[in-house]
Amino acid sequence: MTAQLGGDGIDTARKQAVCNPLQSQALLSVCIPTFNRRDRVAALVQQLLRTDSPLQICVHVDGSTDGTNEALAEIASRDASLVVTTGPNDGRGRAMFSAIASATGDYCMVFDDDDDLFTDRLPEVCEHLSQRSVDEKIAGFVFSMALGHPETAAEPFPSERTNLIKMRADERVVGDKKEVIKTPLLKRVAVPPAGRFRRVPTSLLWSRLAIEYDVICVNVEIGRKRYLPEGMTARIRLLQRQNAYPMLLLNLNYIKAFWLGRYRSVRFLGKAVLACLSFGALSFPFLLKRSFVRVTS
């Protein structure tokens, strides 16, 4: 159940998933990028496999050296619902894209290996997913995530239908949420930016979807967001600067969405314009090199 992912790893993962007919029966694919968190990710996977929900679990091991591969391979040998792909340590961005490429369920959910998932809520999640929408402009659903302390509840969504930029820009929704998106649509936008970047924000995918599609908001907490000291959130500003080009693409999408009338907040637009100037300047060496390669080739 383990495939080695190299430069064409995403295509390899996609072919591997399609070849297994058992996986196509899943309603929801839970996509988990992971690095050196063997115990946490193994516990999360086993927790998911114990549920009665129609799940597929797609884990990409991003060059872990702590025995994660072996632990997951042993689990996968006993349950075909788990798909494990591996590759060199290229960062969360590529690991996320590789996990999504393995998905064959009707819907996809990207889930971080350091967060808690409330598995008793999964039947309710699957019930929503089973209600087929006749509106082709609905990309999927957004569920709540509890934040930090167990007593802290997430604020309810202010509207039932929105898009993934308007939700933040106009409706002032804050904090991490959990997007569950139709797999074909998610795969369409899960295209890595040109170049190799260790961090690609998941919000880049959501911004691509929001240009054209809406989502349904569901006020059900399906997990708890945790911010571990060694996690990416603790050094997010540095990672954004080091991986400026994906951030530039994200904010260009925000500007495009405003132009297309997908949200109305001038304040949010202004922040996107300033971010484009900042990340554009940081991306200039990469863009210059990319242009030079194109000309010389």
Side-chain angles (χ1 to χ4, degrees):
M1 294 300 296
T2 303
Q4 294 295 325
L5 297 187
D8 60 347
I10 294 176
D11 290 335
T12 302
R14 184 179 291 113
K15 291 175 183 176
Q16 178 196 42
V18 170
C19 290
N20 190 338
L22 293 175
Q23 294 163 9
S24 62
Q25 301 172 8
L27 177 62
L28 173 63
S29 293
V30 182
C31 301
I32 308 170
T34 188
F35 171 69
N36 276 358
R37 284 179 176 157
R38 179 193 60 194
D39 294 340
R40 288 191 67 88
V41 73
L44 174 60
V45 165
Q46 290 173 321
Q47 183 185 21
L48 286 167
L49 291 175
R50 283 194 293 267
T51 70
D52 293 329
S53 302
L55 302 180
Q56 177 198 36
I57 303 134
C58 304
V59 181
H60 181 80
V61 182
D62 185 35
S64 295
T65 58
D66 64 346
T68 300
N69 291 344
E70 293 77 11
L72 293 180
E74 195 277 328
I75 299 171
S77 68
R78 295 182 275 106
D79 198 318
S81 298
L82 173 60
V83 179
V84 183
T85 53
T86 66
N89 180 232
D90 286 334
R92 182 187 180 277
R94 191 161 185 82
M96 174 181 66
F97 289 123
S98 297
I100 292 172
S102 298
T104 59
D106 294 337
Y107 287 83
C108 270
M109 175 174 67
V110 179
F111 204 85
D112 290 330
D113 61 3
D114 57 346
D115 293 337
D116 295 332
L117 185 62
F118 302 155
T119 52
D120 60 330
R121 304 284 171 83
L122 285 176
E124 188 171 356
V125 171
C126 289
E127 183 179 349
H128 283 281
L129 304 188
S130 298
Q131 298 171 359
R132 306 291 180 178
S133 172
V134 295
D135 191 335
E136 295 182 353
K137 290 299 182 181
I138 298 293
F141 301 83
V142 183
F143 295 87
S144 292
M145 288 282 285
L147 303 175
H149 193 274
E151 301 301 322
T152 305
E155 294 184 3
F157 293 105
S159 62
E160 181 181 3
R161 177 170 176 167
T162 186
N163 70 66
L164 292 171
I165 298 178
K166 180 180 180 181
M167 181 176 74
R168 306 289 185 177
D170 293 344
E171 299 169 2
R172 305 291 181 90
V173 173
V174 297
D176 286 270
K177 305 302 175 186
K178 193 48 58 184
E179 297 81 0
V180 180
I181 304 299
K182 295 174 183 175
T183 300
L185 292 181
L186 185 56
K187 289 192 176 189
R188 187 188 305 173
V189 299
V191 179
R196 301 185 74 87
F197 299 97
R198 294 193 61 80
R199 180 185 184 272
V200 178
T202 314
S203 51
L204 177 59
L205 278 59
W206 307 150
S207 71
R208 290 170 174 172
L209 278 173
I211 297 294
E212 187 176 354
Y213 294 96
D214 291 345
V215 290
I216 300 299
C217 300
V218 184
N219 287 306
V220 173
E221 293 182 356
I222 65 172
R224 183 174 304 282
K225 187 69 184 175
R226 295 192 181 277
Y227 302 100
L228 300 182
E230 74 277 12
M232 295 180 66
T233 304
R235 48 198 173 93
I236 189 67
R237 298 299 183 190
L238 175 62
L239 289 169
Q240 287 176 346
R241 293 194 298 271
Q242 292 174 338
N243 301 272
Y245 183 59
M247 294 300 299
L248 173 63
L249 296 178
L250 169 63
N251 284 279
L252 286 173
N253 282 345
Y254 289 161
I255 295 172
K256 180 179 180 180
F258 181 84
W259 182 260
L260 294 174
R262 298 296 284 162
Y263 71 93
R264 296 181 299 176
S265 173
V266 176
R267 179 175 177 271
F268 193 87
L269 171 66
K271 291 174 66 176
V273 170
L274 291 175
C276 279
L277 294 174
S278 175
F279 290 117
L282 291 170
S283 301
F284 183 74
F286 166 75
L287 294 171
L288 187 63
K289 180 179 178 181
R290 183 181 174 195
S291 299
F292 177 76
V293 170
R294 282 182 175 178
V295 170
T296 55
S297 61

